[in-house]
PDB file of all heavy atoms in Angstrom:
ATOM      1  N   TYR A  33      69.983-102.661   1.153  1.00 90.00           N
ATOM      2  CA  TYR A  33      71.034-102.694   2.162  1.00 90.00           C
ATOM      3  C   TYR A  33      71.295-101.285   2.654  1.00 90.00           C
ATOM      4  O   TYR A  33      71.285-100.324   1.882  1.00 90.00           O
ATOM      5  CB  TYR A  33      72.318-103.299   1.566  1.00 90.00           C
ATOM      6  CG  TYR A  33      72.092-104.700   1.060  1.00 90.00           C
ATOM      7  CD1 TYR A  33      71.567-104.914  -0.211  1.00 90.00           C
ATOM      8  CD2 TYR A  33      72.353-105.795   1.865  1.00 90.00           C
ATOM      9  CE1 TYR A  33      71.312-106.194  -0.661  1.00 90.00           C
ATOM     10  CE2 TYR A  33      72.105-107.082   1.419  1.00 90.00           C
ATOM     11  CZ  TYR A  33      71.582-107.272   0.162  1.00 90.00           C
ATOM     12  OH  TYR A  33      71.322-108.537  -0.286  1.00 90.00           O
ATOM     13  N   PHE A  35      73.839 -98.781   5.143  1.00 94.00           N
ATOM     14  CA  PHE A  35      75.215 -98.684   5.614  1.00 94.00           C
ATOM     15  C   PHE A  35      75.394 -97.403   6.429  1.00 94.00           C
ATOM     16  O   PHE A  35      74.674 -96.423   6.249  1.00 94.00           O
ATOM     17  CB  PHE A  35      76.201 -98.595   4.430  1.00 94.00           C
ATOM     18  CG  PHE A  35      76.063 -99.671   3.402  1.00 94.00           C
ATOM     19  CD1 PHE A  35      75.095 -99.592   2.412  1.00 94.00           C
ATOM     20  CD2 PHE A  35      76.921-100.754   3.394  1.00 94.00           C
ATOM     21  CE1 PHE A  35      74.974-100.570   1.447  1.00 94.00           C
ATOM     22  CE2 PHE A  35      76.809-101.737   2.429  1.00 94.00           C
ATOM     23  CZ  PHE A  35      75.834-101.650   1.458  1.00 94.00           C
ATOM     24  N   TYR A  37      78.878 -94.967   7.304  1.00 97.00           N
ATOM     25  CA  TYR A  37      80.304 -94.723   7.131  1.00 97.00           C
ATOM     26  C   TYR A  37      80.700 -93.530   7.988  1.00 97.00           C
ATOM     27  O   TYR A  37      79.908 -92.619   8.218  1.00 97.00           O
ATOM     28  CB  TYR A  37      80.638 -94.390   5.663  1.00 97.00           C
ATOM     29  CG  TYR A  37      80.649 -95.575   4.743  1.00 97.00           C
ATOM     30  CD1 TYR A  37      79.466 -96.068   4.204  1.00 97.00           C
ATOM     31  CD2 TYR A  37      81.841 -96.209   4.406  1.00 97.00           C
ATOM     32  CE1 TYR A  37      79.474 -97.156   3.358  1.00 97.00           C
ATOM     33  CE2 TYR A  37      81.854 -97.303   3.564  1.00 97.00           C
ATOM     34  CZ  TYR A  37      80.661 -97.773   3.038  1.00 97.00           C
ATOM     35  OH  TYR A  37      80.675 -98.855   2.206  1.00 97.00           O
ATOM     36  N   GLN A  39      83.630 -90.444   8.420  1.00 97.00           N
ATOM     37  CA  GLN A  39      84.722 -89.709   7.790  1.00 97.00           C
ATOM     38  C   GLN A  39      85.332 -88.773   8.832  1.00 97.00           C
ATOM     39  O   GLN A  39      84.842 -87.680   9.083  1.00 97.00           O
ATOM     40  CB  GLN A  39      84.238 -88.917   6.576  1.00 97.00           C
ATOM     41  CG  GLN A  39      85.385 -88.290   5.791  1.00 97.00           C
ATOM     42  CD  GLN A  39      84.935 -87.631   4.496  1.00 97.00           C
ATOM     43  OE1 GLN A  39      83.878 -87.012   4.434  1.00 97.00           O
ATOM     44  NE2 GLN A  39      85.738 -87.765   3.456  1.00 97.00           N
ATOM     45  N   GLY A  43      89.965 -87.436   6.704  1.00 94.00           N
ATOM     46  CA  GLY A  43      89.386 -87.505   5.361  1.00 94.00           C
ATOM     47  C   GLY A  43      89.039 -88.871   4.806  1.00 94.00           C
ATOM     48  O   GLY A  43      88.312 -88.960   3.821  1.00 94.00           O
ATOM     49  N   LEU A  45      87.261 -92.549   4.389  1.00 95.00           N
ATOM     50  CA  LEU A  45      85.901 -93.041   4.616  1.00 95.00           C
ATOM     51  C   LEU A  45      85.991 -94.438   5.208  1.00 95.00           C
ATOM     52  O   LEU A  45      86.533 -95.358   4.591  1.00 95.00           O
ATOM     53  CB  LEU A  45      85.122 -93.054   3.308  1.00 95.00           C
ATOM     54  CG  LEU A  45      84.656 -91.672   2.864  1.00 95.00           C
ATOM     55  CD1 LEU A  45      84.479 -91.622   1.363  1.00 95.00           C
ATOM     56  CD2 LEU A  45      83.370 -91.297   3.573  1.00 95.00           C
ATOM     57  N   PHE A  47      84.112 -97.743   6.786  1.00 93.00           N
ATOM     58  CA  PHE A  47      82.882 -98.515   6.859  1.00 93.00           C
ATOM     59  C   PHE A  47      82.599 -98.884   8.314  1.00 93.00           C
ATOM     60  O   PHE A  47      83.495 -99.336   9.035  1.00 93.00           O
ATOM     61  CB  PHE A  47      83.045 -99.775   6.001  1.00 93.00           C
ATOM     62  CG  PHE A  47      82.017-100.837   6.239  1.00 93.00           C
ATOM     63  CD1 PHE A  47      80.733-100.693   5.743  1.00 93.00           C
ATOM     64  CD2 PHE A  47      82.336-101.987   6.941  1.00 93.00           C
ATOM     65  CE1 PHE A  47      79.778-101.675   5.946  1.00 93.00           C
ATOM     66  CE2 PHE A  47      81.401-102.981   7.151  1.00 93.00           C
ATOM     67  CZ  PHE A  47      80.119-102.824   6.653  1.00 93.00           C
ATOM     68  N   ARG A  50      76.808-102.713   7.857  1.00 90.00           N
ATOM     69  CA  ARG A  50      75.910-103.020   6.743  1.00 90.00           C
ATOM     70  C   ARG A  50      74.755-103.819   7.305  1.00 90.00           C
ATOM     71  O   ARG A  50      74.949-104.712   8.135  1.00 90.00           O
ATOM     72  CB  ARG A  50      76.637-103.854   5.694  1.00 90.00           C
ATOM     73  CG  ARG A  50      75.785-104.280   4.525  1.00 90.00           C
ATOM     74  CD  ARG A  50      76.643-105.023   3.530  1.00 90.00           C
ATOM     75  NE  ARG A  50      77.028-106.332   4.051  1.00 90.00           N
ATOM     76  CZ  ARG A  50      76.468-107.485   3.698  1.00 90.00           C
ATOM     77  NH1 ARG A  50      75.484-107.485   2.834  1.00 90.00           N
ATOM     78  NH2 ARG A  50      76.886-108.607   4.213  1.00 90.00           N
ATOM     79  N   PHE A  91      78.007 -90.718   7.484  1.00 98.00           N
ATOM     80  CA  PHE A  91      77.140 -90.878   6.321  1.00 98.00           C
ATOM     81  C   PHE A  91      76.321 -92.149   6.437  1.00 98.00           C
ATOM     82  O   PHE A  91      76.849 -93.227   6.736  1.00 98.00           O
ATOM     83  CB  PHE A  91      77.968 -90.975   5.032  1.00 98.00           C
ATOM     84  CG  PHE A  91      78.715 -89.728   4.678  1.00 98.00           C
ATOM     85  CD1 PHE A  91      80.030 -89.557   5.064  1.00 98.00           C
ATOM     86  CD2 PHE A  91      78.093 -88.718   3.959  1.00 98.00           C
ATOM     87  CE1 PHE A  91      80.723 -88.401   4.739  1.00 98.00           C
ATOM     88  CE2 PHE A  91      78.773 -87.557   3.629  1.00 98.00           C
ATOM     89  CZ  PHE A  91      80.095 -87.406   4.028  1.00 98.00           C
ATOM     90  N   HIS A  99      72.046-105.613  -8.371  1.00 61.00           N
ATOM     91  CA  HIS A  99      71.891-105.734  -9.813  1.00 61.00           C
ATOM     92  C   HIS A  99      73.233-105.377 -10.425  1.00 61.00           C
ATOM     93  O   HIS A  99      74.127-104.908  -9.744  1.00 61.00           O
ATOM     94  CB  HIS A  99      70.840-104.744 -10.347  1.00 61.00           C
ATOM     95  CG  HIS A  99      69.530-104.818  -9.649  1.00 61.00           C
ATOM     96  ND1 HIS A  99      68.726-105.911  -9.676  1.00 61.00           N
ATOM     97  CD2 HIS A  99      68.874-103.914  -8.894  1.00 61.00           C
ATOM     98  CE1 HIS A  99      67.632-105.678  -8.974  1.00 61.00           C
ATOM     99  NE2 HIS A  99      67.689-104.486  -8.490  1.00 61.00           N
ATOM    100  N   SER A 100      73.312-105.519 -11.719  1.00 54.00           N
ATOM    101  CA  SER A 100      74.584-105.170 -12.352  1.00 54.00           C
ATOM    102  C   SER A 100      74.840-103.672 -12.257  1.00 54.00           C
ATOM    103  O   SER A 100      75.968-103.225 -12.286  1.00 54.00           O
ATOM    104  CB  SER A 100      74.586-105.611 -13.812  1.00 54.00           C
ATOM    105  OG  SER A 100      73.541-104.959 -14.500  1.00 54.00           O
ATOM    106  N   ASP A 101      73.763-102.873 -12.110  1.00 61.00           N
ATOM    107  CA  ASP A 101      73.969-101.435 -11.992  1.00 61.00           C
ATOM    108  C   ASP A 101      73.737-100.969 -10.566  1.00 61.00           C
ATOM    109  O   ASP A 101      73.349 -99.826 -10.314  1.00 61.00           O
ATOM    110  CB  ASP A 101      73.047-100.677 -12.944  1.00 61.00           C
ATOM    111  CG  ASP A 101      71.577-100.919 -12.633  1.00 61.00           C
ATOM    112  OD1 ASP A 101      71.277-101.843 -11.848  1.00 61.00           O
ATOM    113  OD2 ASP A 101      70.736-100.191 -13.170  1.00 61.00           O
ATOM    114  N   ASP A 102      73.982-101.855  -9.635  1.00 67.00           N
ATOM    115  CA  ASP A 102      73.830-101.530  -8.221  1.00 67.00           C
ATOM    116  C   ASP A 102      74.719-100.358  -7.860  1.00 67.00           C
ATOM    117  O   ASP A 102      75.866-100.276  -8.297  1.00 67.00           O
ATOM    118  CB  ASP A 102      74.219-102.761  -7.405  1.00 67.00           C
ATOM    119  CG  ASP A 102      74.058-102.534  -5.920  1.00 67.00           C
ATOM    120  OD1 ASP A 102      73.095-101.868  -5.527  1.00 67.00           O
ATOM    121  OD2 ASP A 102      74.912-103.007  -5.162  1.00 67.00           O
ATOM    122  N   LYS A 103      74.197 -99.430  -7.112  1.00 78.00           N
ATOM    123  CA  LYS A 103      75.020 -98.332  -6.649  1.00 78.00           C
ATOM    124  C   LYS A 103      74.621 -97.992  -5.236  1.00 78.00           C
ATOM    125  O   LYS A 103      73.483 -98.193  -4.822  1.00 78.00           O
ATOM    126  CB  LYS A 103      74.873 -97.112  -7.544  1.00 78.00           C
ATOM    127  CG  LYS A 103      73.448 -96.614  -7.700  1.00 78.00           C
ATOM    128  CD  LYS A 103      73.367 -95.526  -8.751  1.00 78.00           C
ATOM    129  CE  LYS A 103      71.931 -95.108  -8.972  1.00 78.00           C
ATOM    130  NZ  LYS A 103      71.790 -94.133 -10.070  1.00 78.00           N
ATOM    131  N   ILE A 104      75.554 -97.467  -4.500  1.00 86.00           N
ATOM    132  CA  ILE A 104      75.307 -97.056  -3.130  1.00 86.00           C
ATOM    133  C   ILE A 104      75.122 -95.553  -3.122  1.00 86.00           C
ATOM    134  O   ILE A 104      75.995 -94.803  -3.567  1.00 86.00           O
ATOM    135  CB  ILE A 104      76.458 -97.503  -2.206  1.00 86.00           C
ATOM    136  CG1 ILE A 104      76.515 -99.037  -2.165  1.00 86.00           C
ATOM    137  CG2 ILE A 104      76.246 -96.950  -0.803  1.00 86.00           C
ATOM    138  CD1 ILE A 104      77.586 -99.605  -1.269  1.00 86.00           C
ATOM    139  N   PHE A 106      74.480 -92.086  -1.000  1.00 94.00           N
ATOM    140  CA  PHE A 106      74.789 -91.557   0.317  1.00 94.00           C
ATOM    141  C   PHE A 106      73.865 -90.404   0.692  1.00 94.00           C
ATOM    142  O   PHE A 106      73.454 -89.627  -0.175  1.00 94.00           O
ATOM    143  CB  PHE A 106      76.240 -91.051   0.349  1.00 94.00           C
ATOM    144  CG  PHE A 106      77.253 -92.154   0.385  1.00 94.00           C
ATOM    145  CD1 PHE A 106      77.607 -92.828  -0.765  1.00 94.00           C
ATOM    146  CD2 PHE A 106      77.853 -92.511   1.578  1.00 94.00           C
ATOM    147  CE1 PHE A 106      78.537 -93.861  -0.744  1.00 94.00           C
ATOM    148  CE2 PHE A 106      78.792 -93.544   1.614  1.00 94.00           C
ATOM    149  CZ  PHE A 106      79.129 -94.217   0.458  1.00 94.00           C
ATOM    150  N   ARG A 111      77.589 -83.829  10.505  1.00 97.00           N
ATOM    151  CA  ARG A 111      78.883 -83.503  11.118  1.00 97.00           C
ATOM    152  C   ARG A 111      78.704 -83.508  12.625  1.00 97.00           C
ATOM    153  O   ARG A 111      77.897 -82.748  13.163  1.00 97.00           O
ATOM    154  CB  ARG A 111      79.378 -82.141  10.642  1.00 97.00           C
ATOM    155  CG  ARG A 111      80.805 -81.826  11.113  1.00 97.00           C
ATOM    156  CD  ARG A 111      81.238 -80.453  10.639  1.00 97.00           C
ATOM    157  NE  ARG A 111      81.362 -80.392   9.193  1.00 97.00           N
ATOM    158  CZ  ARG A 111      82.454 -80.688   8.514  1.00 97.00           C
ATOM    159  NH1 ARG A 111      83.542 -81.082   9.166  1.00 97.00           N
ATOM    160  NH2 ARG A 111      82.487 -80.593   7.204  1.00 97.00           N
TER     161      ARG A 111
ATOM    162  N   TYR B  35      83.693 -91.734  -6.899  1.00 95.00           N
ATOM    163  CA  TYR B  35      82.769 -90.832  -6.237  1.00 95.00           C
ATOM    164  C   TYR B  35      83.420 -89.456  -6.163  1.00 95.00           C
ATOM    165  O   TYR B  35      84.641 -89.344  -6.017  1.00 95.00           O
ATOM    166  CB  TYR B  35      82.467 -91.293  -4.809  1.00 95.00           C
ATOM    167  CG  TYR B  35      81.405 -92.358  -4.690  1.00 95.00           C
ATOM    168  CD1 TYR B  35      81.712 -93.696  -4.913  1.00 95.00           C
ATOM    169  CD2 TYR B  35      80.103 -92.034  -4.343  1.00 95.00           C
ATOM    170  CE1 TYR B  35      80.742 -94.675  -4.795  1.00 95.00           C
ATOM    171  CE2 TYR B  35      79.119 -93.005  -4.216  1.00 95.00           C
ATOM    172  CZ  TYR B  35      79.447 -94.324  -4.450  1.00 95.00           C
ATOM    173  OH  TYR B  35      78.477 -95.293  -4.327  1.00 95.00           O
ATOM    174  N   GLN B  37      83.347 -85.894  -3.950  1.00 97.00           N
ATOM    175  CA  GLN B  37      82.877 -85.246  -2.724  1.00 97.00           C
ATOM    176  C   GLN B  37      83.144 -83.753  -2.842  1.00 97.00           C
ATOM    177  O   GLN B  37      84.296 -83.330  -2.920  1.00 97.00           O
ATOM    178  CB  GLN B  37      83.560 -85.817  -1.487  1.00 97.00           C
ATOM    179  CG  GLN B  37      82.990 -85.250  -0.187  1.00 97.00           C
ATOM    180  CD  GLN B  37      83.540 -85.916   1.056  1.00 97.00           C
ATOM    181  OE1 GLN B  37      84.734 -86.140   1.188  1.00 97.00           O
ATOM    182  NE2 GLN B  37      82.649 -86.240   1.999  1.00 97.00           N
ATOM    183  N   LYS B  41      80.766 -81.705   1.428  1.00 92.00           N
ATOM    184  CA  LYS B  41      80.925 -83.099   1.852  1.00 92.00           C
ATOM    185  C   LYS B  41      79.923 -84.048   1.199  1.00 92.00           C
ATOM    186  O   LYS B  41      79.810 -85.198   1.620  1.00 92.00           O
ATOM    187  CB  LYS B  41      80.820 -83.256   3.387  1.00 92.00           C
ATOM    188  CG  LYS B  41      81.932 -82.561   4.135  1.00 92.00           C
ATOM    189  CD  LYS B  41      83.238 -83.277   3.952  1.00 92.00           C
ATOM    190  CE  LYS B  41      84.297 -82.755   4.895  1.00 92.00           C
ATOM    191  NZ  LYS B  41      85.579 -83.475   4.719  1.00 92.00           N
ATOM    192  N   PHE B  42      79.179 -83.557   0.210  1.00 94.00           N
ATOM    193  CA  PHE B  42      78.213 -84.425  -0.436  1.00 94.00           C
ATOM    194  C   PHE B  42      78.930 -85.417  -1.339  1.00 94.00           C
ATOM    195  O   PHE B  42      79.706 -85.021  -2.222  1.00 94.00           O
ATOM    196  CB  PHE B  42      77.226 -83.574  -1.228  1.00 94.00           C
ATOM    197  CG  PHE B  42      76.097 -84.350  -1.833  1.00 94.00           C
ATOM    198  CD1 PHE B  42      75.468 -85.354  -1.131  1.00 94.00           C
ATOM    199  CD2 PHE B  42      75.663 -84.072  -3.122  1.00 94.00           C
ATOM    200  CE1 PHE B  42      74.425 -86.080  -1.686  1.00 94.00           C
ATOM    201  CE2 PHE B  42      74.622 -84.787  -3.686  1.00 94.00           C
ATOM    202  CZ  PHE B  42      74.006 -85.789  -2.975  1.00 94.00           C
ATOM    203  N   ILE B  45      78.032 -90.494  -6.651  1.00 92.00           N
ATOM    204  CA  ILE B  45      78.655 -91.475  -7.526  1.00 92.00           C
ATOM    205  C   ILE B  45      78.813 -90.891  -8.928  1.00 92.00           C
ATOM    206  O   ILE B  45      77.954 -90.151  -9.414  1.00 92.00           O
ATOM    207  CB  ILE B  45      77.844 -92.784  -7.566  1.00 92.00           C
ATOM    208  CG1 ILE B  45      78.630 -93.865  -8.293  1.00 92.00           C
ATOM    209  CG2 ILE B  45      76.462 -92.576  -8.177  1.00 92.00           C
ATOM    210  CD1 ILE B  45      78.058 -95.254  -8.126  1.00 92.00           C
ATOM    211  N   ILE B  55      79.333 -99.734 -16.020  1.00 81.00           N
ATOM    212  CA  ILE B  55      78.001-100.118 -15.567  1.00 81.00           C
ATOM    213  C   ILE B  55      77.163 -98.885 -15.265  1.00 81.00           C
ATOM    214  O   ILE B  55      75.990 -98.810 -15.600  1.00 81.00           O
ATOM    215  CB  ILE B  55      78.101-100.996 -14.297  1.00 81.00           C
ATOM    216  CG1 ILE B  55      78.909-102.252 -14.575  1.00 81.00           C
ATOM    217  CG2 ILE B  55      76.724-101.341 -13.770  1.00 81.00           C
ATOM    218  CD1 ILE B  55      78.295-103.152 -15.624  1.00 81.00           C
ATOM    219  N   ILE B  56      77.762 -97.925 -14.585  1.00 80.00           N
ATOM    220  CA  ILE B  56      77.044 -96.721 -14.165  1.00 80.00           C
ATOM    221  C   ILE B  56      77.789 -95.506 -14.679  1.00 80.00           C
ATOM    222  O   ILE B  56      79.003 -95.397 -14.546  1.00 80.00           O
ATOM    223  CB  ILE B  56      76.945 -96.632 -12.629  1.00 80.00           C
ATOM    224  CG1 ILE B  56      76.130 -97.790 -12.073  1.00 80.00           C
ATOM    225  CG2 ILE B  56      76.337 -95.296 -12.197  1.00 80.00           C
ATOM    226  CD1 ILE B  56      76.165 -97.876 -10.558  1.00 80.00           C
ATOM    227  N   GLU B  58      76.792 -91.570 -14.219  1.00 82.00           N
ATOM    228  CA  GLU B  58      75.771 -90.708 -13.634  1.00 82.00           C
ATOM    229  C   GLU B  58      75.789 -89.306 -14.220  1.00 82.00           C
ATOM    230  O   GLU B  58      76.102 -88.344 -13.543  1.00 82.00           O
ATOM    231  CB  GLU B  58      75.962 -90.636 -12.109  1.00 82.00           C
ATOM    232  CG  GLU B  58      75.508 -91.883 -11.389  1.00 82.00           C
ATOM    233  CD  GLU B  58      74.001 -92.013 -11.340  1.00 82.00           C
ATOM    234  OE1 GLU B  58      73.329 -91.128 -10.786  1.00 82.00           O
ATOM    235  OE2 GLU B  58      73.487 -93.012 -11.880  1.00 82.00           O
ATOM    236  N   PHE B  90      87.051 -89.873  -4.756  1.00 97.00           N
ATOM    237  CA  PHE B  90      87.298 -91.128  -4.068  1.00 97.00           C
ATOM    238  C   PHE B  90      87.081 -92.290  -5.020  1.00 97.00           C
ATOM    239  O   PHE B  90      86.039 -92.386  -5.689  1.00 97.00           O
ATOM    240  CB  PHE B  90      86.351 -91.310  -2.877  1.00 97.00           C
ATOM    241  CG  PHE B  90      86.705 -90.503  -1.670  1.00 97.00           C
ATOM    242  CD1 PHE B  90      86.099 -89.267  -1.444  1.00 97.00           C
ATOM    243  CD2 PHE B  90      87.635 -90.961  -0.760  1.00 97.00           C
ATOM    244  CE1 PHE B  90      86.417 -88.510  -0.335  1.00 97.00           C
ATOM    245  CE2 PHE B  90      87.964 -90.215   0.366  1.00 97.00           C
ATOM    246  CZ  PHE B  90      87.355 -88.986   0.580  1.00 97.00           C
ATOM    247  N   LEU B  96      80.689-107.385  -6.196  1.00 62.00           N
ATOM    248  CA  LEU B  96      79.293-107.370  -6.635  1.00 62.00           C
ATOM    249  C   LEU B  96      78.590-108.679  -6.319  1.00 62.00           C
ATOM    250  O   LEU B  96      77.402-108.707  -6.050  1.00 62.00           O
ATOM    251  CB  LEU B  96      79.229-107.094  -8.140  1.00 62.00           C
ATOM    252  CG  LEU B  96      77.845-106.765  -8.683  1.00 62.00           C
ATOM    253  CD1 LEU B  96      77.363-105.447  -8.118  1.00 62.00           C
ATOM    254  CD2 LEU B  96      77.875-106.707 -10.197  1.00 62.00           C
ATOM    255  N   ARG B  98      78.813-110.375  -3.816  1.00 54.00           N
ATOM    256  CA  ARG B  98      78.380-110.387  -2.431  1.00 54.00           C
ATOM    257  C   ARG B  98      77.257-109.379  -2.302  1.00 54.00           C
ATOM    258  O   ARG B  98      77.485-108.185  -2.399  1.00 54.00           O
ATOM    259  CB  ARG B  98      79.538-110.003  -1.521  1.00 54.00           C
ATOM    260  CG  ARG B  98      79.144-110.070  -0.062  1.00 54.00           C
ATOM    261  CD  ARG B  98      80.248-109.633   0.840  1.00 54.00           C
ATOM    262  NE  ARG B  98      79.771-109.633   2.214  1.00 54.00           N
ATOM    263  CZ  ARG B  98      80.193-108.816   3.131  1.00 54.00           C
ATOM    264  NH1 ARG B  98      81.118-107.936   2.854  1.00 54.00           N
ATOM    265  NH2 ARG B  98      79.702-108.862   4.346  1.00 54.00           N
ATOM    266  N   ALA B  99      76.053-109.855  -2.110  1.00 54.00           N
ATOM    267  CA  ALA B  99      74.893-108.981  -2.135  1.00 54.00           C
ATOM    268  C   ALA B  99      75.058-107.798  -1.204  1.00 54.00           C
ATOM    269  O   ALA B  99      75.336-107.962  -0.033  1.00 54.00           O
ATOM    270  CB  ALA B  99      73.651-109.775  -1.735  1.00 54.00           C
ATOM    271  N   GLY B 100      74.863-106.609  -1.762  1.00 67.00           N
ATOM    272  CA  GLY B 100      74.957-105.410  -0.945  1.00 67.00           C
ATOM    273  C   GLY B 100      76.323-105.218  -0.323  1.00 67.00           C
ATOM    274  O   GLY B 100      76.447-104.721   0.788  1.00 67.00           O
ATOM    275  N   GLU B 102      79.757-103.897   0.912  1.00 85.00           N
ATOM    276  CA  GLU B 102      80.151-102.539   1.281  1.00 85.00           C
ATOM    277  C   GLU B 102      81.275-102.059   0.388  1.00 85.00           C
ATOM    278  O   GLU B 102      81.997-102.848  -0.217  1.00 85.00           O
ATOM    279  CB  GLU B 102      80.575-102.478   2.748  1.00 85.00           C
ATOM    280  CG  GLU B 102      81.854-103.216   3.088  1.00 85.00           C
ATOM    281  CD  GLU B 102      81.590-104.642   3.525  1.00 85.00           C
ATOM    282  OE1 GLU B 102      80.560-105.226   3.124  1.00 85.00           O
ATOM    283  OE2 GLU B 102      82.432-105.185   4.262  1.00 85.00           O
ATOM    284  N   LEU B 103      81.410-100.750   0.332  1.00 90.00           N
ATOM    285  CA  LEU B 103      82.469-100.128  -0.437  1.00 90.00           C
ATOM    286  C   LEU B 103      83.730-100.011   0.407  1.00 90.00           C
ATOM    287  O   LEU B 103      83.672 -99.677   1.584  1.00 90.00           O
ATOM    288  CB  LEU B 103      82.051 -98.716  -0.871  1.00 90.00           C
ATOM    289  CG  LEU B 103      80.880 -98.621  -1.848  1.00 90.00           C
ATOM    290  CD1 LEU B 103      80.455 -97.167  -1.991  1.00 90.00           C
ATOM    291  CD2 LEU B 103      81.245 -99.203  -3.185  1.00 90.00           C
ATOM    292  N   PHE B 105      87.006 -97.773   0.340  1.00 95.00           N
ATOM    293  CA  PHE B 105      87.430 -96.532  -0.287  1.00 95.00           C
ATOM    294  C   PHE B 105      88.932 -96.346  -0.249  1.00 95.00           C
ATOM    295  O   PHE B 105      89.606 -96.772   0.697  1.00 95.00           O
ATOM    296  CB  PHE B 105      86.795 -95.338   0.432  1.00 95.00           C
ATOM    297  CG  PHE B 105      85.353 -95.121   0.104  1.00 95.00           C
ATOM    298  CD1 PHE B 105      84.358 -95.670   0.897  1.00 95.00           C
ATOM    299  CD2 PHE B 105      84.984 -94.349  -0.997  1.00 95.00           C
ATOM    300  CE1 PHE B 105      83.019 -95.463   0.599  1.00 95.00           C
ATOM    301  CE2 PHE B 105      83.651 -94.141  -1.294  1.00 95.00           C
ATOM    302  CZ  PHE B 105      82.670 -94.702  -0.498  1.00 95.00           C
TER     303      PHE B 105
END
Side-chain angles (χ1 to χ4, degrees):
Chain A
Y33 301 84
F35 307 82
Y37 284 82
Q39 188 174 38
L45 284 154
F47 165 75
R50 177 177 71 102
F91 294 94
H99 307 296
S100 60
D101 62 348
D102 182 38
K103 56 188 176 185
I104 296 181
F106 286 80
R111 187 181 294 271
Chain B
Y35 277 81
Q37 185 173 45
K41 295 289 191 179
F42 186 41
I45 190 167
I55 301 298
I56 296 172
E58 285 287 300
F90 283 96
L96 192 66
R98 183 183 176 211
E102 68 268 26
L103 295 171
F105 284 94

